[in-house]
Amino acid sequence: MMASSYNAKDEDGHHPGSVGSGGPGAVKSKKPDNTAFKQQRLPAWQPILTAGTVLPAFFMIGLIFIPIGIGLLVTSNNIKEFEIDYTGVDMFSPCFNCSQSYSWNSTSACTCSVPFTLDQPFESNVFMYYGLSNFYQNHRRYVKSRDDSQLNGDKSSLLNPSKECEPYRTSDKKSIAPCGAIANSLFNDTLELFYIHPNGSRIAIHLVKTGIAWWTDKHVKFRNPGENNNNLSIVFQDTSKPVNWRKPVYELDPSDPDNNGFINEDFIVWMRTAALPTFRKLYRIIQKKKDNMTPTLPPGNYSLEVIYNYPVRSFDGRKRMILSTISWMGGKNPFLGIAYITVGSVCFFLGVVLLIIHHKYGNRNNNADIPN
Amino acid sequence: TKLNFSSALEEERHVRANDRDYNERFSYADNRIKTAKYNVFTFLPINLFEQFQRFANAYFLVLLILQLIPEISSLSWFTTIVPLVLVLAITAVKDATDDYFRHKSDQQVNTRQSQVLIKGKLQNEKWMNVRVGDIIKLENNQFVAADLLLLSSSEPYGLCYIETAELDGETNLKVRQALTVTSDLGDDVAKLADFSGEVICEPPNNKLDKFTGTLCWKDNKYSLDNEKMLLRGCVLRNTEWCFGLVIFAGLQTKLMQNCGRTKFKRTSIDKLMNTLVLWIFGFLICMGIILAIGNTIWEQKVGSDFWEYLQWKELTINAVFSGFLTFWSYIIILNTVVPISLYVSVEVLRLGHSYFINWDRRMYYSRKDTPAEARTTTLNEELGQVEFIFSDKTGTLTQNIMVFNKCSINGKTYGDVYDEFGHKVDITEKTPCVDFSFNPLMDRKFRFHDSSLVEAIKLEEPLVQEFFRLLALCHTIMPEERNEGELVYQAQSPDEGALVTAARNFGFVFRSRTPETITLYEMGQAVTYQLLAILDFNNVRKRMSVIVRNPKGQLKLYSKGADTILFDRLDPSNEELMFTTSEHLNEFAGEGLRTLALAYKDLDEDVFDEWMKKLLFASTALDNREEKLGALYEEIEQGMLLLGATAIEDKLQEGVPETIACLTLANIKIWVLTGDKLETAMNIGYSCNMLRDDMNTVFIISGHTMLEVQQELSKDKFSSGLDMEKTELYSSDSVFEETIIAEYALIINGHSLAHALEADLEQILVDVACLCKTVICCRVTPLQKALVVELIKRHKRAVTLAIGDGANDVSMIKTAHIGVGISGQEGMQAVLASDYSFAQFRYLQRLLLVHGRWSYHRMCNFLCYFFYKNFAFTLVHFWYGFLCGFSAQTVYDQWFITLFNIVYTSLPVLAMGLFDQDVNEQYSLRFPNLYRPGQLNQLFNKRKFFTCTLQGVCTSFILFFIPYGAFMTAVRDDGAHISDQQTFAVTIATSLVIVVSVQIGLDTNYWTAVNHFFIWGSLAVYFAILFAMHSDGIFTIFPNQFPFIGTARNSLNQKIVWLVILLTTVVCIMPMVAVRFIKADLYPTQTDKVRLLQQATRKQGPQEQNLRRVRRTSSRRSAYAFAHQQGYGELITSGKNMKVPTSSTSTYPLSSPTRGLTGTSSASICKCFRHQKH
């Protein structure tokens, strides 16, 4: 039980005869008001850390955290995740050639195909991520190199982007749209997935490319300039494409006007900068089959077809493709489960230790020896 | 502490009367007093200059400038300027108000009116317009405006009387006499205007009792000394008017020269805080350097390869230069470890604590309608650390009222009141007083509670009558009767006044005297006694007697004196009565009363004639006259009959012994510094229980030369040598010092103190004094008081507090760390110079043990928490540096950084700092040793600082790395990615706010409604602002300022985010809880124990704890030793002090020529009278 109680207003006690309080007509006395606030007698709850409060707290935390941790760990272990590095560092890896001959400006795409095998079926919706390592999306100069007004469709910012975008602000005396280092370094590999049927046929797996960005980003934060003008090429006509891009922003997804220009979801996802130098970003969703009988991705052989555009070798980066199912807690995340179990056990153990210490050495007879 | 303004160059002062042109050549100070610092125009520049001298303010200014450089600005400018402007504004407003009040008080003094002789006419002038060389006229009861040379007065022989209480604390009147040549000028304005004497004298100095100079007038030279000076601060008494020539004015007056410098007082916590801020600053630079080096390496190893994604604007920038810029960027980001809001918050706390002092009803004195007042708002927490109290005596410990309290007549005591069951009743305000209305000449202020004495008088018991007759006859008082029946006694000692007043009320009214007679009104009948001889008092005799012839022609000798002396000279038949009376005397003394024994004797005509002849012969003897007279007195004062004894109370202020006892229990050492005589000081020491009979030794140091003082001091050391050896043996001195302290007391007088304070001896003095439980310094000058305080400040590094009521205490009040003035008295100087003021000494107990302790406790908790909070908040950036390429990227949103200290976390900690009470007021007073941690600096020191910053560092580590671990692979429950920077920022910020809120909850001992409101409110406000700033609406208005749109919604709806927050909070908090619990459980502090006790008793219901009444066990001390001065008998019988012989009813008071008057006392005045009269 929390050792506490309300401190009732102490009696005002012996105040030597209040001579000063004259009649209503008398000169106002300087006697301070007798309010609980001014006399520092506000009623108050005065908790003390006692064995009765602290020890149960430790046990409680132990008892709550360990089950949570176990739950988290089990959930996490039930999530199926498959990860494949397609950077092509290794001489024998399929993308080695592509990784060697990269250039932002090359017009011909280099493609490579990476085979892999899934041992277990992936049920329900499967999420496809690309992961980058050693990529400092959180560098200060990188993070601030964007213009949110421009991305929000502000006309003046479109033509005159913020200084923060330097040195990716203008090219050929035209303002860059979207400006800045983040946009300039947009991840532009194309990943496609094929199921190699045991009979040898390659079945393309349908990858959904919308619904991967946050709703608020897609609908509030990012907007194309010229709200009513569906012809984006006119809207962006006075701007130039980012230096590293192969095509202008209004051609990111010409097939779907709701996914083109600034509101292209791949672009939006990229623009939400990662906190850490190793990160993964949602790329595509593989929706579950309508009949729940067959798994979304049955076990078997697959092939990842990569159109290899994005150079990372220079800074020792890695590119990965990740397939994962999710649960109520998101993706696979063993850290939390283990952390909860550890913290819970430590708390419980501490509780036991404290109990022993308190029992053996604790000064339970505290008030006896107060020298007056 | 000496103050010499222009006088450093002035070797000699020339003042010519009535010649302003001449005097102006020397540019002497005028009489204006200025204590204020600013005026309207200089306020802003000077105040800002002063404020930027504060290290912290300057630091933030530099930061602000740094932030304006775009290359390194890692934070927006508003994160610094908003708090900085706030700080400067609040401080400026406070300084302005303080100065305004100083202006007001200066104004009040400067505009006092005085009459100045200008161009042959008396004109009213303000004090500030008085110049050196002016002649001014003073009237009765006026304050002296400047240091004056007395020229003439309304009294004969150019005498005038002054009260010097404001200067030296002595309340008895002193006499000053003008030169005969100038006193002849009288009040003839024309003559005075023609007066053109020139005074050549010493330059301004602070010696109150010394003045040397010469007056040149009409080709004659007259020497001047202190006897002819009226000093500023004195009050003219019993003198209708007098004229004086201004010699020193304004700041050069002796009063002001004695005031000492007004120093800006800072608390030790303040100083510690400044040191810590410097350390933190060093720490900040270290972190900056580490990160800058990291940045250089990163740029070289990684950044150069990362080039294609992240180019510099200028391609020439290399890694080292990038590191240099990063250093400054990190200095900006990490600047919050030195929180600017710290200074504002500390000021706010102190202001709040000051208000609590002002508002305290238990420090309000209703009789004078004076509440306590915190006049300085920056010292509160130091009130919780006081180790030494230096107290004035008169007016501070005592009320300076002598009261006839009890008496024993013929073996029966009077003065106690008994109820119907025969139990003694404590005398309080409400006890009914004896009705003296039968006596038309009574003194209305006199109170006596035992009616049996009046009954005895009315029954005309002869011994009772004789008792009061003795009191009415045997004294050296001068009566003054302005109107019929309106008697005023001018007593040289208040004791005597009390006795004669008692006799007056009991029907034996001393009405008038001539050199040869004394007229009494005995129960309404005028009776004139012939005064034949006064056998005067001196320190050896310790008694005085008078020989009178009553109207019936009987010769009587009446004697009063110290009991031990008188008992030796009693008739053997009195032995039984002597025994009883002796018992009564012990009883009186036990109550702290000053006692006197009274005896009388019938004299034979023949014997007396014989004796008188011898006396006349002896009084003309050329050598050894004193001894011969003494022997003669001795001869006749034999075989007396005991009448009884009186008991006088030197009324202490209410609750003084209890307060002193309580403060002593709190391990505070109390030193009494008084201008009074040794005996008086000792007596008060006994009645305050500071001196006790069971003390081993009371050392009295009264040497006159350096050598003597040294010997006396070392002798004391020698006598306590045994203990000293022990101390050296064990050398764990603190423990031993305690055991030694219990035994000794040291009493030192002004002369010796002057020597002891010299460089060679001061160490010995400090050592000896600190071994003593009680130290009393008597006969000290105001400056010496300050020097003693200074001495302790220097040698003991302890917090000192000085308390006093008069101008003579000002210097000590200003010197001590904390100065307290007793308000509600006449003079205001002490209060004006003080930091705290209240009406009664006993409130000191509450000020220190309750307010001081709380303030200290609150301030320390506040500081610990504040440093913890800011380290936890800021160092997250440090850890993040390792993962973001040391690029000075912030973890949090800029708005969060701006608001964290001033909005999200400021109010709960302020509420804690304002309202927290670890132990309530009753228990604070009941267990004075709870005060100890403050004296030992235990609650906030460098070690504590390290602990709490370390805690902050750990918290920041946990705050960063748990989310880091969790977010490495985390995705939302809809598969979208969540490990982006903004979510990360929101998660860490939310964890941080929750963790610090829980921590303040743990630190708060006293949860008032305000605390609840602020803590829960802060959390609510955090979330409210978070959602507001991440809302669509504000983004559409300022898209560039609020880029975090939607982050709060999208991250705080994720279970995983909350799981991370919960985990972080628990990991941050629980170790702290465990440590605190273990500490309190295994090694409980005094506070912990009392808190438990308090909680246990609160459950049982409140019980009032009465402080036990302190029992006094002191020995008998004769009132006669205290205030009497030799030589008055002669003065009275010679009639020199009577005014013009025609009016015998109106006479003049006499002053005791006290220490300042360098020996030439009233005796010399008498001699000069004699020359003039005969």
Side-chain angles (χ1 to χ4, degrees), chain A residues 12 15 30 32 39-40 42 45 129 140-141 185 216 221 272-273 275 311 314-315 326 333 340 358 366, chain B residues 308-309 312 359 361-362 369 858 880 883 887 917 966 973 975 980-981 1006-1007 1043 1050 1059 1081 1092:
Chain A
D12 183 27
H15 209 280
K30 287 191 211 145
Q39 301 309 315
Q40 306 197 58
L42 288 173
W45 175 54
Y129 301 89
R140 180 166 61 92
R141 277 186 289 121
S185 56
T216 43
K221 194 172 181 182
R272 183 156 280 282
T273 54
S314 67
F315 55 91
I326 57 165
N333 196 346
Y340 263 88
H358 175 68
N366 272 329
Chain B
E308 53 204 299
Y309 297 113
W312 278 95
W359 285 334
R361 279 163 77 92
R362 293 190 185 182
D369 190 27
R858 289 165 181 172
Y880 194 44
L883 291 163
S887 61
Q917 300 178 8
D973 57 5
D980 66 295
Q981 236 196 331
Y1006 194 78
W1007 286 68
N1050 283 300
L1059 284 172
D1081 202 42
L1092 279 175

Side-chain angles (χ1 to χ4, degrees), chain A residues 8-9 34 49-50 56 77 107 109 113 139 144 160 167 220 251 278 283-284 314 351 355:
Chain A
K9 229 181 180 186
N34 189 14
L49 288 184
T50 58
N77 284 342
T107 43
S113 123
H139 195 282
K144 70 175 185 180
N160 185 19
V220 184
E251 282 171 22
T278 298
Y283 184 63
R284 294 289 181 264
S314 67
L355 183 66

Side-chain angles (χ1 to χ4, degrees), chain B residues 335-405:
Chain B
N335 84 71
T336 41
V337 280
V338 186
I340 194 162
S341 53
L342 174 72
Y343 288 90
V344 194
S345 309
V346 165
E347 298 287 308
V348 170
L349 283 195
R350 288 178 176 155
L351 195 70
H353 296 168
S354 304
Y355 273 108
F356 281 130
I357 290 172
N358 296 347
W359 285 334
D360 195 333
R361 279 163 77 92
R362 293 190 185 182
M363 298 207 297
Y364 165 79
Y365 191 55
S366 51
R367 229 168 290 163
K368 294 243 170 78
D369 190 27
T370 340
E373 191 191 353
R375 300 173 45 84
T376 318
T377 54
T378 54
L379 298 174
N380 295 308
E381 77 269 4
E382 199 136 84
L383 289 173
Q385 298 186 279
V386 173
E387 271 184 76
F388 286 88
I389 291 178
F390 298 92
S391 173
D392 179 36
K393 184 194 77 75
T394 317
T396 305
L397 296 178
T398 64
Q399 301 178 352
N400 204 24
I401 299 172
M402 300 295 160
V403 179
F404 177 81
N405 199 300

Side-chain angles (χ1 to χ4, degrees), chain B residues 157 189 248 279 319 330 356 401 443 541 573 626 677 693 703 759 786 810 829 845 962 979 1125:
Chain B
Y157 318 116
V189 173
F248 302 119
W279 286 7
Y330 266 114
F356 281 130
I401 299 172
D443 183 347
R541 285 165 43 77
S573 62
E626 296 280 309
K677 293 172 61 179
D693 286 339
V810 168
Q829 260 95 335
Q845 182 182 354
I962 286 185
S979 56
Q1125 213 83 32

